[in-house]
C-alpha cells in the first residue's frame, strides 16, 4: 500500500524532511528545499531557521520589458512619422512611454526591500530609457543612422 497524504487522502509524493509527514503535491510548501510540510515551514520561518525566497519571475520580466518598450516605442515613432497619419506617432509615444514607465516602476515596487540587481538594474534602465529626452534622442539621431545603413 502506498503512503497517503493526511489532509487530502491522495498518494504522497514527498516526505517532510523535518517531521516525516507524507505530503501530496498540494501540501508541499513552495520553494522549500528540502521539502517541508506547511506546518514545519511556518515553524522554520518563525524561528528564522530558513529565509523565504520570494523570487517571482514577474518582476524580472517587467524590468526587461520596460527597457525593451523604449526601443520599440522609438522605432514605432520613427516609422509612424514616415506615414501620412499625423497622430499615429503621438499615440505610439504616449502608449509606449506610459507602458514602459509603468513596467519599470511596478518591477521596483514588487522588489520592495530585496533590491536584486537582476531586477533593479533593468528596471532603472527602462525608466531612464522611457524618459522623453532619451526617446527623442533615439528618434532624431540613432534610428535614422540605423535605417540608412539597411
Amino acid at each position: 500500500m502506498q503512503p497517503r497524504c493526511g489532509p487530502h487522502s491522495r498518494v504522497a509524493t514527498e516526505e517532510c524532511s523535518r517531521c516525516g509527514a507524507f505530503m501530496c503535491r498540494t501540501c508541499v510548501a513552495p520553494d522549500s528545499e528540502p521539502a517541508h510540510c506547511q506546518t514545519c515551514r511556518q515553524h522554520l520561518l518563525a524561528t528564522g531557521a530558513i529565509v523565504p525566497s520570494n523570487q517571482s519571475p514577474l518582476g524580472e520580466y517587467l524590468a526587461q520589458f520596460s527597457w525593451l518598450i523604449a526601443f520599440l516605442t522609438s522605432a514605432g515613432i520613427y516609422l509612424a512619422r514616415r506615414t501620412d497619419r499625423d497622430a499615429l506617432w503621438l499615440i505610439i509615444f504616449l502608449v509606449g512611454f506610459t507602458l514602459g514607465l509603468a513596467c519599470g516602476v511596478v518591477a521596483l515596487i514588487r522588489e520592495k526591500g530585496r533590491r536584486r540587481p537582476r531586477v533593479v538594474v533593468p528596471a532603472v534602465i527602462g525608466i531612464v530609457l522611457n524618459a522623453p529626452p532619451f526617446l527623442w534622442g533615439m528618434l532624431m539621431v540613432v534610428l535614422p543612422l540605423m535605417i540608412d545603413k539597411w
Side-chain angles (χ1 to χ4, degrees):
M1 187 166 158
Q2 293 181 333
R4 300 289 222 186
C5 169
H8 298 111
S9 300
R10 296 183 189 135
V11 175
T13 57
E14 298 278 341
E15 183 178 346
C16 179
S17 61
R18 182 172 177 265
C19 70
F22 294 114
M23 304 173 287
C24 64
R25 291 178 193 256
T26 307
C27 292
V28 175
D31 72 359
S32 65
E33 186 63 38
H36 298 294
C37 63
Q38 296 286 349
T39 306
C40 288
R41 178 163 170 76
Q42 289 173 357
H43 173 74
L44 292 170
L45 287 171
T47 60
I50 60 172
V51 178
S53 64
N54 299 326
Q55 295 185 4
S56 169
L58 181 61
E60 294 176 35
Y61 294 143
L62 287 173
Q64 298 293 338
F65 196 57
S66 175
W67 66 264
L68 178 64
I69 287 176
F71 291 107
L72 294 176
T73 301
S74 298
I77 291 171
Y78 182 78
L79 295 174
R81 291 187 72 189
R82 291 183 156 208
T83 66
D84 56 349
R85 296 188 179 148
D86 295 334
L88 183 62
W89 70 271
L90 182 61
I91 293 169
I92 292 173
F93 173 74
L94 292 175
V95 170
F97 169 72
T98 306
L99 187 60
L101 198 59
C103 285
V105 170
V106 169
L108 288 178
I109 290 171
R110 286 187 54 84
E111 271 300 288
K112 295 179 186 166
R114 292 186 298 272
R115 302 289 184 241
R116 291 178 294 157
R118 68 180 182 209
V119 174
V120 173
V121 172
V124 170
I125 289 172
I127 290 169
V128 169
L129 292 181
N130 280 294
F134 177 80
L135 287 174
W136 288 115
M138 282 287 292
L139 192 64
M140 300 302 168
V141 178
V142 177
L143 282 173
L145 293 175
M146 288 175 54
I147 290 181
D148 287 341
K149 290 185 179 183
W150 281 353

